[in-house]
């Protein structure tokens, strides 16, 4: 009897081509495969996003709260809702661009799916905002300019560096919820989770293994004309020549 393979199946000799089952060989093969499966299951995916984030959940918003987005003075409840919806859309758009360093967060595919699945609600929200700015501006042209400014500031308001991991993780989670939300209910997700998304823009870092650091503020020399005598800074008159740089708040 000549061996045809090493996985438990042999071929008989002679003119007949018959297969015989090698029970012990198959048992050894099955044991080896089971062991390999255990090892593979115990090994985490190399691309997994590992981070224990701070609990950043917050209360549901209406849209006129401080720090939620660009103010909309005199807006109706429907216009405030539209503003929050558009803020959420902008945030998930920023996440799609900013969080591609970690593909497992699916921020790009989530965002594209949201645009497709909630297209009508997003379009209606934009129309509502457009009418708000036309209604509150002196002219239609001024209203369009105000809408453009609103959009630019809204997008810029979600840019972050120090809190990037927090923001990307929360945006990924919101995006996943949104794609399983029935059409016409995206606004509910936006109102429920906008506070959490805004909270994610504050740096917190890893919560499982916290570490502390004292950031060094960037400084610039003072350029007050009265503080300089030719090329020399007058410390006696103006104090320290270098002052901390204060960055604009989001």
């Amino acid at each position: 009897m000549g061996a045809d393979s090493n996985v438990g199946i042999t071929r008989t000799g002679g003119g007949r081509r018959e297969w015989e089952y090698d029970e012990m060989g198959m048992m050894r093969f099955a044991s080896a495969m089971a062991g390999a499966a255990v090892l593979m299951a115990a090994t985490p995916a190399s691309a997994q996003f590992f981070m224990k984030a701070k609990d950043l959940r917050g209360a549901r918003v209406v849209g006129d709260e401080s720090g939620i987005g660009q103010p909309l003075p005199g807006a109706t409840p429907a216009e405030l809702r539209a503003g929050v919806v558009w803020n959420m859309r902008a945030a998930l758009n920023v996440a799609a661009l900013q969080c591609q360093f970690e593909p497992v967060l699916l921020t790009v595919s989530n965002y594209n799916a949201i645009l497709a699945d909630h297209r009508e609600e997003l379009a209606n929200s934009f129309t509502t905002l457009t009418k708000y700015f036309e209604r509150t501006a002196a002219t239609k042209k001024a209203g369009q300019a105000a809408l453009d400014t609103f959009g630019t500031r809204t997008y810029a308001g979600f840019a972050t560096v120090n809190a990037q991991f927090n923001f990307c993780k929360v945006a990924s989670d919101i995006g996943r919820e949104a794609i399983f939300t029935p059409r016409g209910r995206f606004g509910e997700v936006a109102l429920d989770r906008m506070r959490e998304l805004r909270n994610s823009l504050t740096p917190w870092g890893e919560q499982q293994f916290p570490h502390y650091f004292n950031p060094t503020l960037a400084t610039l020399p003072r350029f007050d004309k009265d503080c300089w005598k030719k090329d020399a800074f007058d410390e006696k008159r103006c104090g320290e020549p270098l002052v901390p740089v204060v960055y604009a708040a989001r």
Side-chain angles (χ1 to χ4, degrees), residues 52-223:
K52 182 178 180 180
K54 183 178 176 62
D55 185 352
L56 299 169
R57 288 174 294 182
R60 179 182 171 96
V61 303
V62 174
D64 58 355
E65 296 87 348
S66 175
I68 291 301
Q70 297 301 309
L72 299 174
T76 66
E79 290 166 342
L80 290 174
R81 180 187 177 94
V84 176
V85 167
W86 207 251
N87 265 265
M88 183 60 76
R89 177 198 177 279
L92 297 180
N93 188 185
V94 171
L97 298 172
Q98 187 171 305
C99 305
Q100 294 184 49
F101 68 91
E102 189 55 274
V104 299
L105 294 176
L106 302 177
T107 53
V108 175
S109 58
N110 285 350
Y111 177 67
N112 289 334
I114 289 167
L115 291 184
D117 204 36
H118 299 288
R119 176 182 287 111
E120 184 176 350
E121 185 176 0
L122 292 172
N124 290 339
S125 295
F126 184 73
T127 299
T128 299
L129 280 174
T130 301
K131 291 180 179 178
Y132 163 79
F133 284 106
E134 290 178 352
R135 175 172 65 82
T136 56
T139 64
K140 187 173 182 178
K141 183 177 180 180
Q144 182 60 53
L147 176 63
D148 293 342
T149 300
F150 171 84
T152 300
R153 291 178 177 175
T154 296
Y155 274 87
F158 290 105
T160 182
V161 176
N162 290 338
Q164 186 179 34
F165 284 3
N166 283 340
F167 172 70
C168 290
K169 186 177 186 302
V170 172
S172 172
D173 189 48
I174 293 174
R176 184 168 58 252
E177 179 182 352
I179 62 177
F180 288 101
T181 296
R183 291 175 181 171
R185 303 286 293 174
F186 179 74
E188 295 301 303
V189 177
L191 295 172
D192 284 340
R193 305 198 63 178
M194 180 54 70
R195 178 72 70 183
E196 178 184 3
L197 189 59
R198 285 294 181 183
N199 290 344
S200 75
L201 297 171
T202 300
W204 287 103
E206 172 62 56
Q207 299 298 297
Q208 184 65 39
F209 308 104
H211 61 279
Y212 304 95
F213 64 95
N214 294 317
T216 302
L217 295 175
T219 57
L220 285 174
R222 293 183 59 177
F223 296 108

